[in-house]
Amino acid sequence: MTHLPWMPVYVGDELAETSHLNAEEYGAYALLKMHLWQHGRLPCDDERLARIAKCGAERWAIVRDALWSLFEDGWRHPRLEALRGEAEETHRKRSEAGKRGGRPRANEKPGYKPGLSPEKAGPKHPQPQPQPQPQSHSYSDPQAQPKPDGSAAEKEKGGTNTREAMFTPYPVPSSAAEGRAFLARMGVPASKMDTCLKQMMAGNLSHYDLEGILETRGAA
């Protein structure tokens, strides 16, 4: 199974590009794109291309002429390849974050410099301490001070600053209308609304899944 299990399809662009194709030609085009997404490239051999497109040799000669204008030399598809590259990079970053437990190691943090441990470093000169400033009110713990509210979208994501929350499914809404309203506020495009709603009503939609959909939309 490929590590990129789903491929984005932008309906408006797809219909505009393929309006001249018949059903057989469009089916072959979709199969060729899925093969490219899964394997990273298409072969240049007509026999192999015909098998991928599920066409006989005689039919492939006709179908190929209809599809050739949708690809560049060498059966390249730059726009799909660019989307695939972005999906690969997103997968790589999430995989690395998962291996680290979601947090960077000390030696991977910006500005890290290796040095001696406190036991070996020896005594240090005392550092000047900041002088207390007069205040007209009693002291309170800075950690206890209220923090500025985040955006409405961040609140609805349920505090996704932990890995557990990232992968925890959203609560199942009481109705499809309530689910649609929630997904619309989260920025889900209309082309993905039904898919996300179905997944959410089944209790299988997490912030991790939704982030992948919104990142892919933004990349386009």
Side-chain angles (χ1 to χ4, degrees), residues 7-217:
M7 178 180 75
V9 176
Y10 298 96
V11 178
D13 294 340
E14 188 83 356
L15 292 177
E17 291 176 352
T18 61
S19 60
H20 64 289
L21 302 179
N22 62 30
E24 179 186 33
E25 292 163 350
Y26 179 76
Y29 177 61
L31 289 168
L32 290 174
K33 288 206 304 179
M34 286 189 281
H35 183 93
L36 188 153
W37 182 268
Q38 189 171 45
H39 299 284
R41 63 178 182 176
L42 285 169
C44 293
D45 177 74
D46 278 334
E47 183 178 351
R48 293 177 62 193
L49 287 169
R51 287 202 302 269
I52 294 170
K54 301 188 186 304
C55 292
E58 295 181 359
R59 294 302 306 166
W60 171 245
I62 299 173
V63 171
R64 178 188 58 197
D65 292 341
L67 300 183
W68 182 249
S69 63
L70 298 174
F71 293 87
E72 293 192 1
D73 292 344
W75 291 94
R76 298 282 308 281
H77 198 295
R79 183 161 58 86
L80 184 60
E81 291 171 12
L83 289 173
R84 188 182 189 278
E86 292 170 2
E88 283 272 15
E89 180 66 11
T90 298
H91 172 80
R92 183 187 66 79
K93 290 180 179 179
R94 289 176 177 171
S95 178
E96 290 179 355
K99 292 177 182 178
R100 295 194 300 265
R103 296 182 179 179
R105 296 171 182 169
N107 61 354
E108 295 176 349
K109 293 181 178 179
Y112 168 79
K113 294 181 180 180
L116 297 175
S117 65
E119 293 79 4
K120 298 180 180 180
K124 297 182 179 179
H125 294 291
Q127 298 296 321
Q129 298 297 316
Q131 297 300 316
Q133 299 295 325
Q135 298 181 0
S136 59
H137 56 80
S138 60
Y139 173 81
S140 60
D141 186 356
Q143 300 297 328
Q145 296 298 321
K147 298 182 179 180
D149 289 338
S151 65
E154 290 174 340
K155 291 180 179 179
E156 294 207 304
K157 289 178 182 176
T160 55
N161 58 339
T162 66
R163 293 185 69 247
E164 181 180 357
M166 174 71 74
F167 295 98
T168 300
Y170 290 116
V172 176
S174 59
S175 66
E178 181 182 338
R180 284 183 183 277
F182 172 82
L183 294 173
R185 290 195 301 272
M186 298 298 284
V188 174
S191 60
K192 291 293 182 181
M193 181 64 71
D194 290 341
T195 300
C196 291
L197 180 60
K198 182 177 180 182
Q199 194 170 347
M200 188 178 188
M201 295 299 289
N204 295 325
L205 182 67
S206 68
H207 177 66
Y208 176 88
D209 302 316
L210 194 57
E211 184 183 81
I213 294 171
L214 296 179
E215 285 181 357
T216 303
R217 184 194 65 167

